[in-house]
Coordinates of all heavy atoms in Angstrom, one line a residue:
M1 N 74.3 39.7 23.1 CA 72.9 40.1 22.9 C 72.0 38.8 23.0 O 71.0 38.8 23.5 CB 72.7 40.8 21.6 CG 71.3 41.1 21.3 SD 71.2 42.2 19.9 CE 69.5 41.9 19.4
F2 N 72.5 37.7 22.3 CA 71.8 36.5 22.3 C 72.1 35.7 23.5 O 73.2 35.7 24.1 CB 72.0 35.7 21.0 CG 71.6 36.5 19.8 CD1 72.5 36.9 18.9 CD2 70.3 36.9 19.6 CE1 72.1 37.6 17.7 CE2 69.9 37.6 18.5 CZ 70.8 38.0 17.6
G3 N 71.1 34.9 24.0 CA 71.3 34.2 25.3 C 71.0 35.1 26.4 O 71.6 35.0 27.5
M4 N 70.2 36.1 26.2 CA 69.8 37.0 27.3 C 69.1 36.5 28.4 O 68.4 35.4 28.3 CB 68.9 38.2 26.7 CG 69.6 39.1 25.7 SD 68.5 40.3 25.0 CE 68.4 41.4 26.5
K5 N 69.1 37.1 29.5 CA 68.3 36.7 30.7 C 66.9 36.9 30.4 O 66.4 37.7 29.5 CB 68.7 37.4 31.9 CG 70.2 37.1 32.3 CD 70.5 37.9 33.6 CE 71.9 37.5 34.0 NZ 72.4 38.2 35.2
T6 N 66.0 36.2 31.1 CA 64.6 36.2 30.9 C 64.0 37.6 31.0 O 63.1 38.0 30.2 CB 63.9 35.3 31.9 OG1 64.4 34.0 31.9 CG2 62.4 35.2 31.7
K7 N 64.4 38.4 32.0 CA 63.9 39.8 32.2 C 64.1 40.6 30.9 O 63.1 41.2 30.4 CB 64.5 40.4 33.4 CG 63.9 41.8 33.7 CD 64.5 42.3 35.0 CE 63.9 43.7 35.3 NZ 64.4 44.3 36.5
G8 N 65.2 40.6 30.3 CA 65.5 41.4 29.1 C 64.7 40.9 27.9 O 64.1 41.7 27.2
R9 N 64.6 39.6 27.8 CA 63.8 39.0 26.7 C 62.4 39.3 26.8 O 61.7 39.6 25.8 CB 64.0 37.4 26.7 CG 65.3 37.0 26.1 CD 65.3 35.5 25.9 NE 64.4 34.7 26.6 CZ 64.7 33.8 27.5 NH1 65.9 33.7 27.9 NH2 63.7 33.1 28.0
D10 N 61.8 39.2 28.0 CA 60.5 39.5 28.2 C 60.1 40.9 27.9 O 59.0 41.1 27.3 CB 60.0 39.2 29.7 CG 60.0 37.7 30.0 OD1 60.0 36.9 29.0 OD2 59.9 37.3 31.2
G11 N 61.0 41.8 28.2 CA 60.7 43.2 27.9 C 60.7 43.4 26.4 O 59.8 44.2 25.9
I12 N 61.6 42.8 25.7 CA 61.7 43.0 24.2 C 60.5 42.3 23.6 O 59.9 42.9 22.7 CB 63.0 42.4 23.7 CG1 64.2 43.3 24.2 CG2 63.0 42.4 22.2 CD1 65.6 42.7 23.9
S13 N 60.2 41.1 24.0 CA 59.1 40.4 23.4 C 57.7 41.2 23.6 O 56.9 41.3 22.7 CB 58.9 39.0 24.0 OG 60.0 38.3 23.9
S14 N 57.6 41.6 24.9 CA 56.4 42.4 25.2 C 56.2 43.7 24.4 O 55.2 44.1 23.9 CB 56.3 42.8 26.7 OG 56.3 41.6 27.5
G15 N 57.4 44.4 24.2 CA 57.4 45.6 23.4 C 57.1 45.4 22.0 O 56.3 46.1 21.3
V16 N 57.6 44.3 21.4 CA 57.3 43.9 20.0 C 55.8 43.6 19.9 O 55.2 43.9 18.9 CB 58.2 42.7 19.6 CG1 57.7 42.2 18.2 CG2 59.6 43.2 19.4
F17 N 55.3 42.8 20.8 CA 53.9 42.4 20.8 C 53.0 43.7 20.8 O 52.1 43.8 20.1 CB 53.5 41.5 21.9 CG 52.1 41.2 22.0 CD1 51.5 40.3 21.2 CD2 51.2 41.8 22.9 CE1 50.1 40.0 21.1 CE2 49.9 41.6 22.9 CZ 49.3 40.7 22.0
L18 N 53.3 44.6 21.7 CA 52.5 45.8 21.8 C 52.6 46.7 20.5 O 51.6 47.3 20.1 CB 52.9 46.7 23.0 CG 52.5 46.1 24.4 CD1 53.1 46.9 25.5 CD2 51.0 45.9 24.5
I19 N 53.8 46.8 20.0 CA 53.9 47.5 18.7 C 53.1 46.9 17.6 O 52.4 47.5 16.9 CB 55.4 47.6 18.3 CG1 56.2 48.5 19.2 CG2 55.6 48.1 16.8 CD1 57.7 48.4 19.1
G20 N 53.2 45.5 17.5 CA 52.4 44.8 16.5 C 50.9 45.0 16.8 O 50.1 45.2 15.8
F21 N 50.5 44.9 18.0 CA 49.1 45.0 18.3 C 48.6 46.4 18.0 O 47.5 46.5 17.5 CB 48.8 44.7 19.8 CG 47.4 44.4 20.1 CD1 46.8 43.2 19.7 CD2 46.7 45.4 20.8 CE1 45.5 43.0 20.1 CE2 45.3 45.1 21.1 CZ 44.7 43.9 20.8
G22 N 49.4 47.4 18.2 CA 49.0 48.7 17.9 C 48.9 48.9 16.4 O 48.0 49.6 15.9
L23 N 49.8 48.3 15.6 CA 49.7 48.4 14.2 C 48.5 47.7 13.7 O 47.8 48.2 12.8 CB 50.9 47.8 13.5 CG 52.2 48.6 13.7 CD1 53.4 47.8 13.2 CD2 52.1 49.9 12.9
L24 N 48.1 46.6 14.3 CA 46.9 45.9 13.9 C 45.6 46.7 14.2 O 44.7 46.8 13.4 CB 46.7 44.6 14.7 CG 47.7 43.4 14.3 CD1 47.4 42.2 15.2 CD2 47.5 43.1 12.8
Y25 N 45.7 47.4 15.3 CA 44.5 48.3 15.6 C 44.4 49.4 14.6 O 43.3 49.8 14.2 CB 44.8 48.9 17.1 CG 43.6 49.6 17.6 CD1 42.5 49.0 18.1 CD2 43.5 51.0 17.6 CE1 41.3 49.6 18.6 CE2 42.5 51.7 18.0 CZ 41.4 51.0 18.6 OH 40.3 51.7 19.0
L26 N 45.5 50.0 14.2 CA 45.5 51.1 13.2 C 45.1 50.6 11.9 O 44.3 51.3 11.2 CB 46.9 51.7 13.1 CG 47.3 52.6 14.2 CD1 48.8 53.0 14.0 CD2 46.4 53.9 14.3
T27 N 45.5 49.4 11.5 CA 45.2 48.9 10.1 C 43.9 48.2 10.1 O 43.4 47.9 8.9 CB 46.3 48.1 9.6 OG1 46.5 46.9 10.4 CG2 47.6 48.9 9.5
Q28 N 43.4 47.7 11.2 CA 42.2 46.8 11.3 C 42.4 45.5 10.5 O 41.5 44.9 10.0 CB 41.0 47.6 10.7 CG 40.5 48.8 11.5 CD 40.1 48.5 12.9 OE1 39.3 47.6 13.1 NE2 40.7 49.1 13.9
W29 N 43.7 45.1 10.5 CA 44.0 43.8 9.7 C 44.2 42.7 10.8 O 45.2 42.1 11.0 CB 45.3 44.0 9.0 CG 45.6 43.0 8.0 CD1 44.8 42.5 7.0 CD2 46.8 42.3 7.9 NE1 45.5 41.6 6.3 CE2 46.7 41.5 6.8 CE3 48.0 42.3 8.6 CZ2 47.8 40.6 6.4 CZ3 49.1 41.5 8.2 CH2 48.9 40.6 7.1
W30 N 43.1 42.4 11.5 CA 43.1 41.4 12.6 C 43.5 40.0 12.2 O 44.2 39.3 12.9 CB 41.8 41.4 13.3 CG 41.5 42.7 13.9 CD1 40.6 43.7 13.5 CD2 42.2 43.3 15.1 NE1 40.7 44.8 14.3 CE2 41.7 44.6 15.3 CE3 43.2 42.9 15.9 CZ2 42.1 45.5 16.3 CZ3 43.7 43.7 16.9 CH2 43.0 45.0 17.1
W31 N 42.9 39.5 11.1 CA 43.2 38.2 10.6 C 43.9 38.2 9.3 O 43.3 38.8 8.4 CB 41.9 37.4 10.5 CG 42.1 36.0 10.2 CD1 42.0 35.4 9.0 CD2 42.6 35.0 11.0 NE1 42.3 34.1 9.0 CE2 42.7 33.8 10.3 CE3 43.0 34.9 12.4 CZ2 43.2 32.6 10.8 CZ3 43.4 33.7 12.9 CH2 43.5 32.5 12.1
P32 N 45.0 37.7 9.1 CA 45.8 36.8 9.9 C 46.9 37.6 10.7 O 47.9 37.1 11.1 CB 46.4 35.8 9.0 CG 46.7 36.6 7.8 CD 45.4 37.5 7.7
G33 N 46.7 38.9 10.8 CA 47.7 39.8 11.4 C 48.0 39.3 12.9 O 49.2 39.4 13.3
L34 N 47.0 39.0 13.6 CA 47.2 38.5 15.0 C 48.2 37.3 15.0 O 49.1 37.2 15.8 CB 45.9 38.2 15.7 CG 46.0 37.9 17.2 CD1 46.6 39.1 17.9 CD2 44.7 37.6 17.7
L35 N 47.9 36.4 14.1 CA 48.9 35.2 14.0 C 50.3 35.6 13.7 O 51.3 35.1 14.3 CB 48.4 34.2 13.0 CG 47.2 33.4 13.4 CD1 46.8 32.4 12.3 CD2 47.5 32.6 14.7
I36 N 50.4 36.6 12.8 CA 51.8 37.1 12.4 C 52.5 37.7 13.7 O 53.6 37.5 14.0 CB 51.7 38.0 11.2 CG1 51.2 37.2 10.0 CG2 53.0 38.7 11.0 CD1 50.9 38.0 8.8
V37 N 51.7 38.6 14.4 CA 52.3 39.2 15.5 C 52.7 38.2 16.6 O 53.8 38.3 17.1 CB 51.3 40.3 16.1 CG1 51.7 40.8 17.5 CG2 51.1 41.4 15.2
L38 N 51.9 37.3 16.8 CA 52.2 36.2 17.8 C 53.4 35.4 17.4 O 54.3 35.1 18.2 CB 51.0 35.3 18.1 CG 49.9 35.9 18.8 CD1 48.7 35.0 18.8 CD2 50.2 36.4 20.2
G39 N 53.5 35.1 16.1 CA 54.6 34.3 15.6 C 55.9 35.1 15.7 O 56.9 34.6 16.1
V40 N 55.9 36.3 15.3 CA 57.1 37.2 15.3 C 57.6 37.4 16.8 O 58.8 37.3 17.1 CB 56.9 38.5 14.6 CG1 58.0 39.5 14.9 CG2 56.7 38.3 13.1
T41 N 56.6 37.6 17.7 CA 56.9 37.8 19.1 C 57.6 36.5 19.6 O 58.6 36.6 20.3 CB 55.7 38.1 19.9 OG1 55.1 39.3 19.4 CG2 56.0 38.4 21.3
G42 N 57.0 35.4 19.3 CA 57.6 34.1 19.8 C 58.9 33.8 19.2 O 59.9 33.4 19.9
L43 N 59.1 34.2 17.9 CA 60.4 33.9 17.3 C 61.5 34.8 17.9 O 62.6 34.4 18.2 CB 60.4 34.2 15.8 CG 59.7 33.2 14.9 CD1 59.6 33.6 13.5 CD2 60.5 31.9 15.0
I44 N 61.2 36.1 18.2 CA 62.1 37.0 18.8 C 62.5 36.5 20.2 O 63.7 36.4 20.5 CB 61.5 38.4 18.9 CG1 61.5 39.0 17.5 CG2 62.3 39.3 19.9 CD1 60.8 40.3 17.4
D45 N 61.6 36.0 21.0 CA 61.9 35.4 22.3 C 62.8 34.2 22.2 O 63.8 34.1 22.9 CB 60.6 35.0 23.0 CG 60.9 34.7 24.5 OD1 61.6 35.4 25.2 OD2 60.5 33.5 24.9
I46 N 62.6 33.3 21.2 CA 63.4 32.1 21.0 C 64.8 32.5 20.6 O 65.8 31.9 21.1 CB 62.7 31.1 20.1 CG1 61.4 30.6 20.6 CG2 63.6 30.0 19.8 CD1 60.5 29.8 19.6
V47 N 64.8 33.4 19.6 CA 66.2 33.8 19.1 C 67.0 34.5 20.2 O 68.2 34.2 20.4 CB 66.1 34.7 17.9 CG1 67.4 35.3 17.5 CG2 65.5 33.9 16.7
M48 N 66.3 35.4 21.0 CA 67.0 36.1 22.1 C 67.5 35.1 23.2 O 68.5 35.5 23.8 CB 66.2 37.1 22.7 CG 65.7 38.2 21.7 SD 67.0 39.2 21.1 CE 67.2 40.4 22.3
S49 N 66.9 34.0 23.3 CA 67.4 33.0 24.3 C 68.5 32.2 23.7 O 69.1 31.4 24.5 CB 66.2 32.1 24.7 OG 65.8 31.2 23.7
G50 N 68.8 32.3 22.5 CA 70.0 31.6 21.9 C 69.6 30.2 21.3 O 70.5 29.4 21.1
H51 N 68.3 29.9 21.2 CA 68.0 28.6 20.6 C 67.6 28.7 19.1 O 66.4 28.8 18.8 CB 66.8 28.1 21.4 CG 67.1 27.8 22.8 ND1 66.8 28.7 23.9 CD2 67.7 26.8 23.4 CE1 67.2 28.2 25.0 NE2 67.8 27.0 24.8
W52 N 68.6 28.8 18.3 CA 68.4 29.0 16.9 C 67.6 27.9 16.2 O 66.8 28.1 15.3 CB 69.8 29.1 16.1 CG 70.4 30.4 16.5 CD1 71.3 30.7 17.5 CD2 70.1 31.7 15.9 NE1 71.6 32.0 17.5 CE2 70.9 32.7 16.5 CE3 69.3 32.1 14.8 CZ2 70.9 34.0 16.1 CZ3 69.3 33.4 14.4 CH2 70.1 34.3 15.1
K53 N 67.9 26.6 16.6 CA 67.2 25.5 16.0 C 65.7 25.5 16.2 O 64.9 25.3 15.4 CB 67.8 24.2 16.4 CG 69.2 23.9 15.9 CD 69.7 22.6 16.4 CE 71.1 22.3 15.8 NZ 71.7 21.0 16.3
D54 N 65.4 25.8 17.5 CA 64.0 25.9 17.8 C 63.3 27.1 17.1 O 62.1 27.0 16.7 CB 63.8 26.1 19.3 CG 64.2 24.9 20.1 OD1 64.1 23.8 19.6 OD2 64.5 25.1 21.3
A55 N 64.0 28.2 16.9 CA 63.5 29.3 16.2 C 63.3 29.0 14.7 O 62.3 29.3 14.1 CB 64.5 30.5 16.2
L56 N 64.1 28.2 14.1 CA 63.9 27.8 12.7 C 62.7 26.9 12.6 O 61.9 27.0 11.6 CB 65.2 27.1 12.2 CG 66.4 28.0 11.9 CD1 67.6 27.2 11.5 CD2 66.1 29.1 10.8
K57 N 62.6 25.9 13.5 CA 61.4 25.0 13.5 C 60.1 25.8 13.6 O 59.2 25.6 12.9 CB 61.5 24.0 14.6 CG 62.6 23.0 14.4 CD 62.6 22.1 15.7 CE 63.9 21.2 15.8 NZ 63.9 20.4 17.0
T58 N 60.1 26.8 14.6 CA 58.9 27.6 14.8 C 58.6 28.4 13.5 O 57.4 28.5 13.1 CB 59.1 28.5 16.0 OG1 59.4 27.7 17.1 CG2 57.8 29.3 16.2
A59 N 59.6 29.0 12.9 CA 59.4 29.8 11.7 C 58.9 28.9 10.6 O 58.0 29.3 9.8 CB 60.7 30.5 11.3
A60 N 59.4 27.7 10.5 CA 58.9 26.8 9.4 C 57.4 26.5 9.7 O 56.7 26.5 8.7 CB 59.8 25.5 9.4
V61 N 57.1 26.2 10.9 CA 55.7 25.9 11.1 C 54.7 27.1 10.8 O 53.7 26.8 10.1 CB 55.5 25.4 12.6 CG1 54.0 25.4 13.0 CG2 56.1 24.2 12.9
F62 N 55.1 28.2 11.2 CA 54.3 29.4 10.9 C 54.3 29.7 9.4 O 53.2 30.1 8.9 CB 54.8 30.7 11.7 CG 54.2 30.7 13.0 CD1 54.9 30.3 14.1 CD2 52.9 31.2 13.2 CE1 54.4 30.3 15.4 CE2 52.4 31.3 14.5 CZ 53.1 30.8 15.6
L63 N 55.4 29.5 8.7 CA 55.4 29.7 7.3 C 54.6 28.8 6.5 O 53.8 29.1 5.5 CB 56.8 29.8 6.7 CG 57.7 31.0 7.0 CD1 59.1 30.8 6.5 CD2 57.0 32.2 6.4
I64 N 54.6 27.5 6.9 CA 53.8 26.5 6.3 C 52.3 26.7 6.6 O 51.5 26.6 5.7 CB 54.2 25.1 6.8 CG1 55.6 24.7 6.2 CG2 53.2 24.0 6.4 CD1 56.3 23.5 6.8
A65 N 52.0 27.1 7.8 CA 50.6 27.4 8.2 C 50.1 28.5 7.4 O 48.9 28.6 6.9 CB 50.4 27.7 9.6
A66 N 50.9 29.6 7.2 CA 50.5 30.8 6.4 C 50.3 30.4 4.9 O 49.3 30.8 4.3 CB 51.5 31.9 6.5
A67 N 51.1 29.5 4.4 CA 50.9 29.1 3.0 C 49.7 28.3 2.8 O 49.0 28.5 1.9 CB 52.2 28.2 2.5
I68 N 49.4 27.4 3.8 CA 48.2 26.6 3.7 C 46.9 27.5 3.8 O 46.0 27.4 3.1 CB 48.2 25.5 4.9 CG1 49.2 24.5 4.5 CG2 46.8 24.9 5.0 CD1 49.4 23.5 5.7
L69 N 47.0 28.5 4.7 CA 45.8 29.4 4.9 C 45.6 30.2 3.6 O 44.5 30.4 3.2 CB 46.1 30.4 6.0 CG 45.9 29.8 7.4 CD1 46.3 30.8 8.5 CD2 44.4 29.3 7.6
W70 N 46.7 30.7 3.0 CA 46.6 31.4 1.8 C 46.0 30.6 0.7 O 45.2 31.0 -0.1 CB 48.0 32.0 1.4 CG 47.9 32.8 0.2 CD1 47.5 34.1 0.1 CD2 48.3 32.5 -1.1 NE1 47.7 34.6 -1.2 CE2 48.1 33.5 -1.9 CE3 48.8 31.3 -1.7 CZ2 48.4 33.6 -3.3 CZ3 49.1 31.3 -3.0 CH2 48.9 32.4 -3.8
G71 N 46.4 29.3 0.6 CA 45.9 28.4 -0.4 C 44.4 28.1 -0.2 O 43.6 28.0 -1.1
L72 N 44.0 28.0 1.1 CA 42.6 27.7 1.5 C 41.7 28.8 1.1 O 40.5 28.6 0.9 CB 42.5 27.2 2.9 CG 43.1 25.9 3.2 CD1 43.0 25.7 4.8 CD2 42.4 24.8 2.5
V73 N 42.2 30.0 1.2 CA 41.3 31.2 0.9 C 40.8 31.0 -0.5 O 39.6 31.4 -0.7 CB 42.1 32.5 1.0 CG1 41.4 33.7 0.4 CG2 42.5 32.8 2.5
W74 N 41.5 30.5 -1.4 CA 41.1 30.4 -2.8 C 40.1 29.2 -3.1 O 39.6 29.1 -4.1 CB 42.3 30.3 -3.8 CG 43.1 31.6 -3.6 CD1 44.4 31.6 -3.0 CD2 42.8 32.9 -4.0 NE1 44.8 32.9 -3.0 CE2 43.9 33.7 -3.7 CE3 41.8 33.4 -4.7 CZ2 43.9 35.1 -3.9 CZ3 41.8 34.8 -4.9 CH2 42.8 35.6 -4.5
T75 N 40.1 28.3 -2.1 CA 39.2 27.2 -2.2 C 37.8 27.4 -1.8 O 36.9 26.6 -2.1 CB 39.7 25.9 -1.5 OG1 39.7 26.2 -0.1 CG2 41.1 25.6 -1.9
G76 N 37.5 28.5 -1.1 CA 36.2 28.9 -0.7 C 35.8 28.2 0.6 O 34.6 28.0 0.9
I77 N 36.8 27.8 1.4 CA 36.5 27.1 2.7 C 35.8 28.0 3.7 O 35.9 29.3 3.6 CB 37.8 26.6 3.3 CG1 37.5 25.7 4.5 CG2 38.7 27.7 3.9 CD1 38.7 24.9 5.0
M78 N 35.0 27.5 4.5 CA 34.2 28.3 5.4 C 35.1 28.9 6.5 O 35.8 28.2 7.3 CB 33.1 27.4 6.1 CG 32.1 26.9 5.1 SD 30.9 25.8 5.9 CE 30.4 26.6 7.3
W79 N 35.1 30.2 6.6 CA 36.0 30.9 7.6 C 35.5 30.5 9.0 O 36.3 30.6 10.0 CB 36.0 32.4 7.4 CG 36.8 32.7 6.2 CD1 36.4 33.0 5.0 CD2 38.2 32.8 6.2 NE1 37.5 33.2 4.1 CE2 38.6 33.1 4.8 CE3 39.3 32.5 7.0 CZ2 39.9 33.2 4.4 CZ3 40.6 32.6 6.6 CH2 40.9 33.0 5.3
S80 N 34.2 30.3 9.2 CA 33.8 30.0 10.6 C 34.4 28.7 11.1 O 34.4 28.4 12.3 CB 32.3 29.9 10.6 OG 31.8 28.8 9.7
L81 N 34.9 27.8 10.2 CA 35.6 26.6 10.7 C 37.1 26.8 10.7 O 37.8 26.3 11.5 CB 35.2 25.5 9.8 CG 33.8 25.0 9.8 CD1 33.5 23.8 8.8 CD2 33.4 24.5 11.2
L82 N 37.6 27.6 9.7 CA 39.0 27.7 9.5 C 39.7 28.5 10.6 O 40.7 28.1 11.1 CB 39.3 28.3 8.2 CG 40.8 28.6 7.8 CD1 41.5 27.2 7.7 CD2 41.0 29.3 6.5
I83 N 39.1 29.6 11.0 CA 39.7 30.5 12.0 C 39.8 29.7 13.4 O 40.9 29.7 13.9 CB 39.0 31.8 12.1 CG1 39.2 32.6 10.8 CG2 39.4 32.6 13.4 CD1 38.4 33.9 10.8
P84 N 38.7 29.2 13.9 CA 38.9 28.5 15.1 C 39.8 27.3 15.1 O 40.6 27.0 16.0 CB 37.4 28.0 15.5 CG 36.6 28.8 14.7 CD 37.3 29.2 13.5
G85 N 39.7 26.5 13.9 CA 40.6 25.4 13.8 C 42.1 25.8 13.8 O 42.9 25.1 14.3
T86 N 42.4 26.9 13.1 CA 43.8 27.3 13.1 C 44.2 27.8 14.5 O 45.4 27.4 14.9 CB 43.9 28.5 12.1 OG1 43.5 28.1 10.8 CG2 45.3 29.0 12.0
L87 N 43.4 28.5 15.1 CA 43.8 28.9 16.5 C 44.0 27.7 17.5 O 44.9 27.7 18.2 CB 42.7 29.9 17.1 CG 42.6 31.2 16.4 CD1 41.4 32.0 16.9 CD2 43.9 32.0 16.5
I88 N 43.2 26.8 17.3 CA 43.3 25.5 18.1 C 44.6 24.8 17.8 O 45.3 24.4 18.6 CB 42.0 24.6 18.0 CG1 40.8 25.3 18.6 CG2 42.4 23.3 18.6 CD1 39.6 24.6 18.3
A89 N 44.9 24.7 16.5 CA 46.1 24.0 16.1 C 47.4 24.7 16.5 O 48.3 24.2 17.0 CB 46.1 23.9 14.5
V90 N 47.4 26.0 16.4 CA 48.5 26.8 16.9 C 48.7 26.7 18.4 O 49.8 26.6 18.9 CB 48.4 28.3 16.4 CG1 49.4 29.2 17.1 CG2 48.5 28.4 14.9
G91 N 47.5 26.7 19.1 CA 47.6 26.6 20.6 C 48.1 25.3 21.0 O 49.0 25.1 21.9
I92 N 47.7 24.2 20.3 CA 48.2 22.8 20.6 C 49.7 22.8 20.3 O 50.5 22.2 21.1 CB 47.5 21.8 19.8 CG1 46.1 21.6 20.3 CG2 48.2 20.4 19.8 CD1 45.2 20.8 19.4
Y93 N 50.2 23.4 19.2 CA 51.6 23.4 18.9 C 52.4 24.1 20.0 O 53.4 23.6 20.4 CB 51.9 24.0 17.6 CG 53.3 24.3 17.3 CD1 54.2 23.3 17.0 CD2 53.8 25.6 17.4 CE1 55.6 23.5 16.9 CE2 55.2 25.9 17.2 CZ 56.0 24.8 17.0 OH 57.3 25.1 16.8
L94 N 51.9 25.2 20.5 CA 52.6 26.0 21.5 C 52.6 25.3 22.8 O 53.7 25.4 23.5 CB 52.0 27.4 21.7 CG 52.1 28.4 20.5 CD1 51.3 29.7 20.7 CD2 53.6 28.7 20.2
V95 N 51.6 24.6 23.2 CA 51.5 23.9 24.4 C 52.5 22.7 24.3 O 53.3 22.4 25.2 CB 50.1 23.4 24.8 CG1 50.2 22.3 25.9 CG2 49.2 24.5 25.1
Y96 N 52.5 22.0 23.2 CA 53.4 20.9 22.9 C 54.9 21.4 23.1 O 55.8 20.8 23.7 CB 53.2 20.3 21.6 CG 54.3 19.3 21.1 CD1 54.3 18.0 21.7 CD2 55.2 19.7 20.2 CE1 55.4 17.2 21.3 CE2 56.2 18.9 19.8 CZ 56.3 17.6 20.3 OH 57.3 16.7 20.0
R97 N 55.2 22.6 22.4 CA 56.5 23.1 22.5 C 56.9 23.5 23.9 O 58.1 23.4 24.3 CB 56.6 24.3 21.6 CG 58.1 24.7 21.3 CD 58.2 25.9 20.5 NE 57.8 27.1 21.3 CZ 57.5 28.3 21.0 NH1 57.5 28.5 19.7 NH2 57.2 29.2 21.8
G98 N 56.0 23.9 24.7 CA 56.2 24.3 26.1 C 56.6 23.2 26.9 O 57.4 23.3 27.9
F99 N 56.1 22.0 26.6 CA 56.5 20.8 27.4 C 57.8 20.1 27.0 O 58.3 19.2 27.7 CB 55.3 19.7 27.4 CG 54.2 20.1 28.3 CD1 53.0 20.4 27.7 CD2 54.3 20.1 29.6 CE1 51.9 20.7 28.5 CE2 53.3 20.4 30.5 CZ 52.1 20.7 29.9
K100 N 58.3 20.5 25.9 CA 59.6 19.9 25.4 C 60.8 20.4 26.3 O 60.8 21.4 26.8 CB 59.9 20.3 24.0 CG 59.1 19.4 23.0 CD 59.3 19.8 21.6 CE 60.7 19.3 21.2 NZ 61.1 19.6 19.9

């Protein structure tokens, strides 16, 4: 099962993303639900390709980011800065990981 070819992994990742996106649409829990769906989809793709170490690193980054966001909610930080900043940071991380 693990170490699957790209075609099978893409189908599973896409399916999980669509399921997650559908759940977000039903619950209207867009933030931080979208980050969670993207993180889970990425982790599934990494695990299915057989790269466990990379999956653990990615999971750690997402868990740390979620903990920081949860902590910042209680400080009264401006969401108009936090949301774009978080999206930019996650994007930079994914681009960096893509070049490795």
Side-chain angles (χ1 to χ4, degrees):
M1 180 169 157
F2 299 116
M4 292 179 72
K5 294 182 179 180
T6 304
K7 185 177 181 180
R9 284 193 337 250
D10 287 347
I12 292 170
S13 303
S14 299
V16 169
F17 176 78
L18 289 174
I19 291 167
F21 196 73
L23 289 172
L24 290 178
Y25 189 79
L26 285 174
T27 62
Q28 297 295 310
W29 193 53
W30 296 106
W31 183 259
L34 187 58
L35 285 181
I36 293 169
V37 168
L38 291 173
V40 169
T41 303
L43 284 174
I44 288 173
D45 187 53
I46 295 169
V47 169
M48 297 298 276
S49 69
H51 296 100
W52 288 95
K53 289 181 183 179
D54 291 335
L56 289 174
K57 289 178 195 175
T58 303
V61 167
F62 274 99
L63 287 174
I64 290 168
I68 290 170
L69 284 173
W70 184 76
L72 289 174
V73 167
W74 301 107
T75 64
I77 192 165
M78 293 175 50
W79 285 102
S80 61
L81 296 176
L82 182 63
I83 292 173
T86 302
L87 292 173
I88 291 168
V90 170
I92 290 170
Y93 169 72
L94 292 174
V95 169
Y96 169 75
R97 192 184 75 194
F99 282 113
K100 278 179 74 177

